[in-house]
Amino acid sequence: MSNRKIFIYAENDCGAIENSYFELLSKAAALNVKLTELEGAPAQLCAVTVGELGEDSLNSLVESGTDVVYSITDESLTVYNPAVYSEAVAQLCKLEEPYIFLFASTAMGTELAPSLGVKLHTGVSAHCVDLRFDDSGAFIQDVPAFGGKVIGEILTPDTLPQIATVKPGIFQCECLAAKSAEVKKFSPSLDSTVLDGIVLKDVHVKDRDSLPVEQAETIICGGFGMGCDENWEVLDRIANYFENSAVGCTRPALDEDWTDDDGTMIGTSGKTVRPKLYIGAGISGAMHHVCGISDAEFIVSINKDENADIFNVSDIKIVGDAVKILTAFEERLVQE
Amino acid sequence: MNIGVLVKPVPDPEQYNSITIDPETKRLNRSGVPTIVNPSDKCAVEAALKLKEKFGGKIVIFTMAPPDGREKLMEVLAMGADEAVLVSDREFGGADTLATSYTLVKAVEKKSAESESFDLILSGNESADGATGHVPAQVGEMLGFNHLSAIVQIVAEGEGRPDSLTVFQKIENGKNEFEIKLPAVIGVTRDINKPRYTSAMGVIKAKKKPFDTYDCEALSPDKSRIGIEGSPTKAGAIFTPDTGRKSEELSGSPEEIAEELVKRIKAIGVTINSGGGCRE
Ligand SMILES: Cc1cc2nc3c(=O)[nH]c(=O)nc-3n(C[C@H](O)[C@H](O)[C@H](O)COP(=O)(O)OP(=O)(O)OC[C@H]3O[C@@H](n4cnc5c(N)ncnc54)[C@H](O)[C@@H]3O)c2cc1C
Ligand SMILES: Nc1ncnc2c1ncn2[C@@H]1O[C@H](COP(=O)(O)O)[C@@H](O)[C@H]1O
């Protein structure tokens, strides 16, 4: 194994490890295959976690297929505080000098990664949709711009670590061969000036009674072309005919308050989904939305405008009034 | 309460579908796409105006952009901001978020030194074009201010100038409620408010408001930290992702279409539950 270290931030969600860690680890393992080809030896894969973890969670990290688990703990780290967390992680980086550092672009990751970029004077790429090494060994980070219409390659050639955040749901989890990672404890030294600038008062978790869109196998998605509140309900009724289904939305549907669950918005600032079946109605096909569904297996779109952009990215095109088509569809589903 | 707001002119995000890459030059072609004030930055301006209505003080807008950025700054002044600073120089061009943040920080520091210091810097959470969302955190780090991103609500209680603000941050499954001590940098999302429209009176008044332009010389920055040179990330090739699909049209009456659709859905192995109601 080479001296190079690939750090992966393992988000600690109330003592449990966020799924995004496993997505990033799967990608890091794939990167390591190429790195081995290039350098003759793989890099060390290292999970980095901040705050106390339950025993089960720590075990799930230790057995995730990583080589090392850095567990950063301190009494000031029991509650999330971005200033303290980024300082603690920066101290570990100064000591261990990682080559690459991967974060999920979650609320936490998008705060920690750029802060770390300043503390370590290095580059950070955001919301990557792919990561790879080219044949010269350069680490290429594919970053979407203009809502995903354009992808740009980003390189961080001169400074380390090369920090990248990756949108959750982009990489698929693959189980790595289990091995027992070495756990290394790290205690940062934190002075009081960092400690009390920001205080987490409360966490308001939204109870949801429906399946999260990112886990759904069938998504019925509505856009601005659904027209009004009452029309929206047909989406729910149709979703009921499918197992593991969820109703998704575009930004304007949220703005109009046809749904109040912002966790169901799909796209650049929402979720990335990969259902077997996606049925979208009254959606124009703005790249901001489309880039969130590009991994869907089968896309059906209904739009009254036969030239709508959404049709270019659809398997099935239906030109017509969303409500009329969906109502006929619902009536047909009743007969099943 | 003195508030700085970071505002970026961006190509109108409603028209990103018409952006293409020239196959010869490999350059971006965005001709015909108008420039607007970044949507969440307008929300940052609105949030600043609300705080000013409550606590008084002054709002200064900062934009790092080519000279034509002036027009967008005038729009924001017309919304009610008091002063504008256009940070503009060829040498600032090609900056990544680290170099952009550094340059904006130099401008904020210069303005603070010339008049009063800032209690709060507001920014949009992300720009529509690059959308990294890095700038608020990086500006906060470099100023040595407390900073938070993805803020959907700001609560400012009491009468006098507050020492801290209660803010709500959007997270994956809900919201974090933080108390953040001032001075601070806060990045706000579009959920926070609906920005006001500009009035004709606002447009007239805007013309008389202080407007500074800072070039490289004015900021006397560390040259190794600005522009392309000062950017640790470098841009490689650009390409458009291939999202195209076969787009097979189903036609006929709604009933015929529904019949065919059910067939297609079954063909890809998705089961339809009888009677509905089987959703988790
Ligand atoms: C920084 C940024 C981030 C963004 N992130 C996201 C994101 O994550 N997700 C997202 O969705 N959006 C996002 N947006 C917004 C995005 O740019 C588009 O505005 C949005 O996706 C458009 O939604 P829509 O297709 O529902 O509405 P519209 O674009 O208004 O399209 C409505 C469509 O419905 C059709 N229609 C109208 N009436 C009918 C009818 N009766 N029957 C059938 N069809 C009908 C019309 O022909 C039209 O094509 C973002 C924007 C910005 C600036
Ligand atoms: N060139 C700029 N000039 C002024 N503000 C900027 C600039 N770039 C970014 N910002 C601010 O930082 C926010 C986040 O931008 P970004 O990190 O590019 O996604 C934007 O919404 C703006 O408020």
Side-chain angles (χ1 to χ4, degrees), chain B residues 205-231:
Chain B
K205 280 189 186 161
K207 295 191 179 119
K208 301 207 181 74
K209 291 181 177 173
F211 193 111
D212 287 320
T213 304
Y214 293 170
D215 61 7
C216 190
E217 202 187 322
L219 293 185
S220 52
D222 173 349
K223 291 261 176 104
S224 71
R225 294 182 69 183
I226 61 166
I228 293 188
E229 193 76 5
S231 299

Side-chain angles (χ1 to χ4, degrees), chain A residues 80 82 106-107 111 114-115 117-119 122-127 142 144-157 159 196-206 209 211 218 236 239-247 251 255 262 269 276-277 279 285-288 293-294 296-300 309 311-319 324-325 328-329 332-333 336, chain B residues 11 13-14 16-21 28 30 96-98 126 128-134 137-139 141-142 146-150 168-181 190-191 194 225 232-241 243-250 254-255 257-259 261-262 264-266 268-280:
Chain A
Y80 175 55
T106 53
E111 206 150 51
S115 305
V118 175
K119 290 180 197 291
T122 187
V124 187
S125 62
H127 312 288
D142 281 349
F146 303 103
K149 175 73 190 192
V150 174
I151 307 284
E153 294 180 353
I154 296 290
L155 294 95
T156 313
T159 53
D196 55 3
I198 299 172
V199 181
L200 181 64
K201 292 284 187 194
D202 207 348
V203 180
H204 307 269
V205 177
K206 195 171 203 158
D209 42 20
L211 189 70
T218 293
D236 267 308
N240 279 336
Y241 283 91
F242 298 92
E243 252 163 70
N244 298 325
S245 61
V247 172
R251 162 91 79 191
D255 290 344
D262 54 12
S269 7
K276 272 188 173 162
L277 171 64
I279 301 178
M287 214 47 217
H288 288 114
I293 60 172
S294 50
E297 276 176 44
F298 199 71
I299 297 180
V300 177
D309 287 329
F311 290 137
N312 301 330
V313 301
S314 303
D315 297 287
I316 298 285
K317 162 178 181 176
I318 299 171
V319 180
K324 279 197 190 127
I325 303 286
F329 184 45
R332 177 60 188 76
L333 291 172
E336 284 295 303
Chain B
E14 292 300 325
Y16 287 175
N17 279 20
S18 63
I19 290 176
T20 51
I21 294 174
L28 215 54
R30 43 163 286 204
D96 71 358
T97 61
L98 201 73
E126 57 186 20
D129 50 356
T132 71
H134 290 169
Q138 299 199 314
V139 165
E141 284 291 317
M142 291 179 195
N146 301 311
H147 57 86
L148 286 170
S149 300
F168 291 78
Q169 177 184 57
K170 183 171 170 175
I171 53 174
E172 281 55 47
N173 54 354
K175 287 173 192 165
N176 281 333
E177 182 181 343
F178 286 105
E179 186 171 321
I180 181 166
K181 279 213 181 110
R190 282 172 59 191
D191 310 291
K194 290 229 181 328
R225 294 182 69 183
T233 61
K234 308 288 175 209
I238 52 173
F239 54 95
T240 41
T243 48
R245 298 195 186 216
K246 61 179 183 293
S247 192
E248 184 190 342
E249 184 166 353
L250 303 187
E255 292 70 30
I257 289 173
E259 184 64 39
L261 185 55
V262 165
R264 298 304 182 98
I265 289 171
K266 287 181 177 167
I268 59 163
V270 170
T271 20
I272 297 170
N273 294 315
S274 60
C278 273
R279 199 145 69 99
E280 287 204 0

